[in-house]
Amino acid sequence: MTTVRRRRSAAALAASAVLGIAIASAAAPTAFAAPSPKPTPSAVMPSGLYGAGDPTYDGVWRQSVALLAQDTVGVKPAAKAVDWLTGQQCASGGFLSYRADTAKPCDAKLPPDSNASAVAVQALAALGGQDATVRKTVGWLKSVQNADGGWGYNPGGAGDANSTSLVIGALAAAGEKPDAVKSKGGKTPYDALLTFAKPCGGKDGGAFVYQQKTPGIVADSTAAGVLGAHGKGLVVTAGEKDAKGTVCEKATTAEGAAHNGAVYLAAALAKTGHLDTAPMPGATDPTPKPDFGNTADAVVALSAQGLGDQAKKPLEWLRQNAAAWAKESGPAAYAQLIFAAHASGADPKSFGGMDLVAALNATGPAPESQKPAAAEKKDSSESDSDSDSDSGIGVWWIAGVFFVASVGAGFLISGRKKNQRL
């Protein structure tokens, strides 16, 4: 919230893994057991798709965040890239993680998921001209809302902070009022989100957990939760300075929970400037590794909350260290960094020696057009009068996360969504 968007960051999991890389660790939804889709050979990769890796588990996610990031920096993507995404929609209005053959109806044994659907809405709503597709997907999302007001990855699955936050962002992007979207029991998405917010004090105090019984990687769900509580999607600008500072307080509203979540992230980043991944089960090296994707999502969340000062250190850490990760991980990683730069007022074309925009563009079909640099500079100065040109910090998931249920295997992307070679 990979992220993501967003949180929140795009991560992926091998189909045989039970835990996600740099995302929430969680058991698969128990509402059904869906078979794993077959991987797509690289030789038959669609020409309009971003990234060169197998899209089976993240095709819609990475395409959506790539298009959304391009739109954020004034790049008009290639028509065939947009067509590829709209062509992935199922007749129900929802999106799978990937459809290899769009000439065939979506497989009833592989139901659409809320994460892919929500991030596709955010991208297509931002690009414009796709109202019918957006409305149909929003209708599907509303139809699978849980009784508690939230969403799980799959219809009928237990709700989680990441999925609920991603859908809130999609509703807002489509012009809906999330607090007016109520379940049959009268619950709103914010009611659900509050159930994932931990009280101050104790372990992970103030954070948003992935699920009550499955906390997961809390930093990921917290970054997503902060954005969701603000009614925001993966792309945000910096909020007004948080007058409460970095003190966790008792929260009874989504806004209060967002503040506490950001306070949790600020504390987690204060020492090193980055978050860490949890070792995978059975890993020979138990040493935690830097988590680039969740760190980027945290920068977005902190900026959205108005804790720009607390975002400076992790943003600088990303500038100095994220190049190799982004190059290896592909379009979703570049998109996450662009979201972080945008939220904090940094220049995505000059980010620690990287031109994130050019790098993202190079992972897919050549864009149709790009806003002149002078226009981008003007937009930045108008939207961020308090930006610091030296640090790149000015005045976010994811997801988001995605979770493909299969027999014996969970598949979650967050953020948010991070660290697979896309």
Side-chain angles (χ1 to χ4, degrees):
M1 217 310 118
T2 205
T3 14
V4 144
R5 348 178 317 193
R6 281 251 312 80
R7 342 155 174 125
R8 60 216 335 83
S9 71
L13 218 186
S16 60
V18 176
L19 297 178
I21 300 174
I23 53 180
S25 57
T30 57
F32 62 89
S36 298
K38 297 179 180 180
T40 300
S42 58
V44 294
M45 292 291 289
S47 63
L49 178 65
Y50 288 83
D54 179 11
T56 301
Y57 302 107
D58 75 327
V60 168
W61 180 274
R62 78 191 194 209
Q63 190 80 353
S64 298
V65 295
L67 294 174
L68 186 57
Q70 286 183 318
D71 179 78
T72 300
V73 295
V75 174
K76 184 177 181 179
K80 66 178 179 179
V82 180
D83 290 344
W84 184 90
L85 180 57
T86 58
Q88 290 287 304
Q89 187 182 47
C90 296
S92 65
F95 284 76
L96 300 170
S97 295
Y98 173 65
R99 292 175 63 189
D101 187 354
T102 56
K104 297 180 180 179
C106 290
D107 189 342
K109 296 180 181 179
L110 293 173
D113 66 74
S114 65
N115 291 239
S117 301
V119 74
V121 165
Q122 292 190 41
L124 295 173
L127 291 169
Q130 304 294 335
D131 291 351
T133 301
V134 168
R135 283 196 302 269
K136 193 171 185 179
T137 305
V138 168
W140 179 81
L141 287 168
K142 290 180 177 180
S143 74
V144 296
Q145 185 179 22
N146 287 345
D148 65 358
W151 285 265
Y153 177 82
N154 288 124
D160 63 80
N162 300 70
S163 299
T164 299
S165 296
L166 277 170
V167 176
I168 289 174
L171 293 171
E176 299 273 349
K177 294 182 178 180
D179 58 354
V181 177
K182 298 182 179 181
S183 68
K184 292 181 179 179
K187 297 292 186 178
T188 74
Y190 298 117
D191 291 326
L193 208 52
L194 278 171
T195 67
F196 306 116
K198 297 197 67 173
C200 300
K203 179 177 172 55
D204 299 328
F208 287 87
V209 295
Y210 175 71
Q211 292 174 333
Q212 288 296 335
K213 295 183 179 180
T214 313
I217 297 178
V218 177
D220 177 67
S221 50
T222 301
V226 170
L227 295 185
H230 280 293
K232 303 291 186 181
L234 298 175
V235 179
V236 303
T237 54
E240 294 183 7
K241 187 171 182 178
D242 190 341
K244 295 181 180 180
T246 55
V247 178
C248 190
E249 301 180 345
K250 182 178 180 179
T252 58
T253 65
E255 292 81 2
H259 165 80
N260 289 344
V263 169
Y264 168 84
L265 292 173
L269 290 159
K271 184 176 181 179
T272 64
H274 66 82
L275 301 169
D276 291 322
T277 63
M280 294 289 287
T284 56
D285 182 5
T287 305
K289 300 296 190 297
D291 187 334
F292 296 93
N294 276 329
T295 299
D297 288 351
V299 168
V300 177
L302 288 170
S303 299
Q305 183 59 36
L307 294 179
D309 288 344
Q310 286 70 29
K312 289 181 179 180
K313 188 171 183 177
L315 183 72
E316 185 58 31
W317 183 85
L318 288 169
R319 277 198 181 104
Q320 299 299 321
N321 297 282
W325 166 76
K327 183 177 181 179
E328 179 181 11
S329 299
Y334 287 122
Q336 281 183 278
L337 294 175
I338 287 173
F339 297 151
H342 176 77
S344 57
D347 183 0
K349 291 189 174 181
S350 181
F351 192 83
M354 288 187 288
D355 183 338
L356 299 173
V357 179
L360 174 60
N361 291 345
T363 67
E368 290 190 10
S369 64
Q370 185 167 337
K371 185 186 298 182
E376 291 175 4
K377 184 176 181 181
K378 179 179 179 181
D379 285 352
S380 177
S381 64
E382 290 176 348
S383 63
D384 182 10
S385 58
D386 295 328
S387 65
D388 180 342
S389 61
D390 292 328
S391 67
I393 302 290
V395 265
W396 150 64
W397 157 354
I398 74 66
V401 262
F402 61 80
F403 193 100
V404 174
S406 60
V407 178
F411 189 81
L412 189 67
I413 188 166
S414 128
R416 3 335 331 128
K417 109 179 176 20
K418 310 169 178 76
N419 301 347
Q420 176 183 328
R421 296 185 181 181
L422 303 180

